[in-house]
Every structure is written in C-alpha cells, then in structure tokens.
Amino acid sequence: MTPLAAEVNENLAQISNYLVYSSMAVYMLAFFAHIAEWTFGSRSKVGRTAAALTGAKAAAVGAPAVQVRGTGGTAVLDKPKVVTRSAAGTRDVPDGPGAAGGTENGDLYGRIAVSLTTLAFVIEAAGVVARATSVQRAPWGNMYEFSLTFSTVAVGAYLILLALKKNVRWMGLILVTTVLLDLGIATTWLYTASDQLVPALHSYWLWIHVSTAIICGAVFYIGATGTLLYLFRDSYEAKLAGGGTPGRFATSVMERLPSAATLDKFSYRINAAFFPLWTFTIIAGAIWAGDAWGRYWGWDPKEVWSFVTWVAYACYLHARATAGWKGRKAAYLALFAFACWIWNYYGVNILLNGKHSYAGV
C-alpha cells in the first residue's frame, strides 16, 4: 500500500469515528424525545382517560378501547380495532393507545424521536461504510465493528417495521437506550484500530456468514424486547383480571403498551421468521470452517454456543406450537435463547479461547 493510500484509509477511519460519535449524540436526543413522549402521554387528562379504557377492566364490561386524535384544539376519542388472542382460556384485551397515551403532545415528541432515530441511523450507517472503506473489507472483523453493525441493523429493522405501518413505536425508548449502551461499550472497551484480517478470514464467506449472524442477532433482539414486555404486560393483565390494583407507575406504563396477546404474537412471528436464517448462518460457518481449517465442525466454543442457541430457539418454537407450553413458559425459553446468543457474542469472545479468538476484541 502506498503512503498516499495509507493516509486516505487513516482519514476514512477517523471520519468513521466522528460519525459514530455524532450518531451517539443524535441517539441521545432521540432518547430524551422518547422520554418526553412517555411523560406527556402519562400527564394528559384525556390520555389517562383513554388509557384507562384499554385495560382488562374495560374488556370485562365490553367497553371498547379508545384513542385520541386532534381536530384543531379539540381532542376526539376514536374506537380502534380490538386485538384479541384466539387461544382458548386466554384474555381478550384490547391494545393500549401507545407511548404517547393518545395525546397530541406525546405524539409530537414521539414523531420527533423517530425522526432523530432515523437521522442517527443514517449517520451510524455512514460510519460503518466509512470503516469498511478504510480497511477495504467487510466491516465486521472484530467485536468493535460487529457492535457498530449490530446496532445499525437493529435500528434499521425497527425503522422498516415502522415504515410497514407496524405498531412498534412502543419499543423506541428501549431500542435507543440499548443502542447507546452498545455504542458506549464499543467505543470505550471494544475499540480496535483499522487493520487487515488474518489470512483465514480473507474469504467471501466473511460477507455471508457474519452478515447473517448480525442480522439474526439484531432481529432476535427485537423479538426478545417484545417477549420481555409481554411478560410484564401479561402480569399486569392477570392482576387486573384477579381484581388487584397495580401501582401508579406500572399502570401508567403497562396500560399504554399493546396487549399481552399482541406482544406474544409479535415476538413469535419475529423469532419464527428468522430462525431459518440462523440455521443457514451455522451451516455457512461450517462450510467456511471447512475451507479455512480443513474441518467443518470441531466443537470450538463459538460453534458449541451457536448450536446451543439454535437448540434453544428450536425448543422455543416447538414449545410455542404446543398448547401446554404457550404463553409465559415459552416466553422464558425465548429469553433464554437470546441470552445464549448474547453469551455467544460477549462471553465466548472475551472469556473463552478458541479458533474464533484470533479476531481479537
């Protein structure tokens, strides 16, 4: 490489760093906008009235859920569609009005948050592209680059769901918080200067195997978020159905989320849709291992935990399709499966030694 080319690549690496830090600043603004969305959604009198009609108590007396729309200076209550769970013995509870609580101010801040998240996504994606250009290879040769791409894909998947008119804005605050945490860890502890890869990684399988692993992990994260909120919402609905009275904070948050049935269905569909891609990821890794190391499977720690993750998700999908294991039991399996994926990424890479350790952190 000529001195001029080396200088250009170094400048591109610096630009990538600036873009990543800039995206973090914009994500922080989106975080505060989402906080404002949830805050104004809980304070509005009309929003509280609307949210109160979306709980299990309203369903028990046949009252429809309501949402609020603005007509000039007037708030008008609309009747949205009621989403129910078809399985026998489950509750028929309508979805909540969303983080904004059906209020105009809350909705305004929510839209601002989505706009800022979109801007941060574009900046971060540009940072990933600049990093790839600086090293002239796929931008996921170490944990720092993997983390950048992971958070970019996770936000991209969220924005695609929004563009498809899916009701997922409820996860915006959790997503932005997680992305900030991911980028903070990446830039503080995982940062690795731009460098070329070891010969074993110089293969087109790097683009195929690692890219699918990142996509699966990002989408599994979205599914895990839905599963976790499902557990909280299901407990909230069960307490109401049993005549209990949840605390003010729990009520303010839970009553604005989608119903437990909706969250359960959302998580299941996400995990089921991308489980085949995770299967392909493991197969692609085995083929690459055969080319690079002369064997397709050697029970390397990364290979073992990739397989354990696959088994955990397979058990979840099987349990979810079995009547006796639907609901909370299956949800615990889904969270365990995602925990295996997280351990496979952080724990195996940092704490365990194997053939996948040469990439460093």
Side-chain angles (χ1 to χ4, degrees):
M1 181 182 297
T2 65
L4 178 59
E7 182 179 357
V8 170
N9 291 342
E10 180 63 26
N11 290 336
L12 286 172
Q14 291 298 324
I15 291 174
S16 173
N17 294 339
Y18 293 145
L19 289 172
V20 170
Y21 282 109
S22 297
S23 70
M24 292 176 67
V26 181
Y27 278 128
M28 183 61 70
L29 295 176
F31 170 81
F32 287 118
H34 274 301
I35 291 292
E37 176 188 19
W38 281 91
T39 300
F40 280 97
S42 65
R43 288 180 176 177
S44 168
K45 181 178 180 180
V46 176
R48 290 197 303 270
T49 303
L53 294 176
T54 65
K57 292 180 178 179
V61 297
V66 299
Q67 289 187 350
V68 183
R69 57 182 171 86
T71 57
T74 305
V76 180
L77 299 181
D78 288 335
K79 297 179 180 179
K81 295 180 180 180
V82 174
V83 180
T84 60
R85 202 176 344 189
S86 58
T90 57
R91 295 178 295 274
D92 292 336
V93 180
D95 289 341
T103 67
E104 290 186 78
N105 284 338
D107 183 66
L108 173 62
Y109 281 105
R111 292 178 183 275
I112 292 174
V114 171
S115 298
L116 289 171
T117 302
T118 304
L119 176 60
F121 164 76
V122 172
I123 296 173
E124 185 182 8
V128 172
V129 172
R131 176 80 175 196
T133 306
S134 70
V135 293
Q136 299 179 2
R137 58 168 172 77
W140 40 74
N142 49 62
M143 289 186 67
Y144 170 72
E145 295 172 354
F146 192 103
S147 296
L148 295 187
T149 310
F150 171 85
S151 58
T152 303
V153 173
V155 176
Y158 166 72
L159 294 176
I160 288 174
L161 290 173
L162 285 177
L164 294 175
K165 307 299 182 182
K166 302 299 182 181
N167 177 23
V168 295
R169 209 168 82 184
W170 44 267
M171 75 164 58
L173 178 59
I174 298 176
L175 175 70
V176 170
T177 303
T178 305
V179 168
L180 284 171
L181 179 62
D182 174 71
L183 292 178
I185 293 174
T187 55
T188 303
W189 291 295
L190 302 179
Y191 180 77
T192 303
S194 300
D195 198 3
Q196 294 303 312
L197 300 175
V198 297
L201 290 181
H202 283 289
S203 170
Y204 59 88
W205 285 107
L206 174 66
W207 292 90
I208 299 173
H209 171 63
V210 184
S211 65
T212 55
I214 292 173
I215 292 172
C216 288
V219 177
F220 284 157
Y221 158 75
I222 291 178
T225 301
T227 301
L228 183 63
L229 291 180
Y230 156 75
L231 291 173
F232 286 111
R233 173 76 190 204
D234 186 64
S235 296
Y236 171 77
E237 292 178 8
K239 191 167 188 177
L240 287 178
T245 303
R248 173 181 287 185
F249 178 78
T251 300
S252 175
V253 174
M254 291 296 113
E255 69 189 1
R256 285 181 279 164
L257 290 175
S259 68
T262 299
L263 291 170
D264 182 46
K265 185 185 299 182
F266 169 80
S267 302
Y268 171 69
R269 288 179 174 178
I270 287 287
N271 291 326
F274 281 84
F275 177 73
L277 186 61
W278 181 247
T279 304
F280 171 78
T281 300
I282 296 177
I283 295 174
I287 296 174
W288 187 11
D291 291 342
W293 303 320
R295 56 48 165 194
Y296 294 102
W297 194 266
W299 299 104
D300 181 78
K302 179 70 70 172
E303 296 168 348
V304 170
W305 280 99
S306 295
F307 179 68
V308 170
T309 303
W310 183 90
V311 171
Y313 273 109
C315 290
Y316 160 72
L317 294 177
H318 176 72
R320 184 61 176 72
T322 304
W325 273 80
K326 285 184 178 179
R328 299 184 69 86
K329 292 181 180 179
Y332 292 138
L333 274 177
L335 291 179
F336 173 75
F338 183 68
C340 289
W341 191 94
I342 290 294
W343 167 256
N344 191 28
Y345 173 47
Y346 283 107
V348 172
N349 283 3
I350 296 175
L351 301 178
L352 302 181
N353 292 321
K355 284 185 172 295
H356 290 78
S357 302
Y358 51 66
V361 286

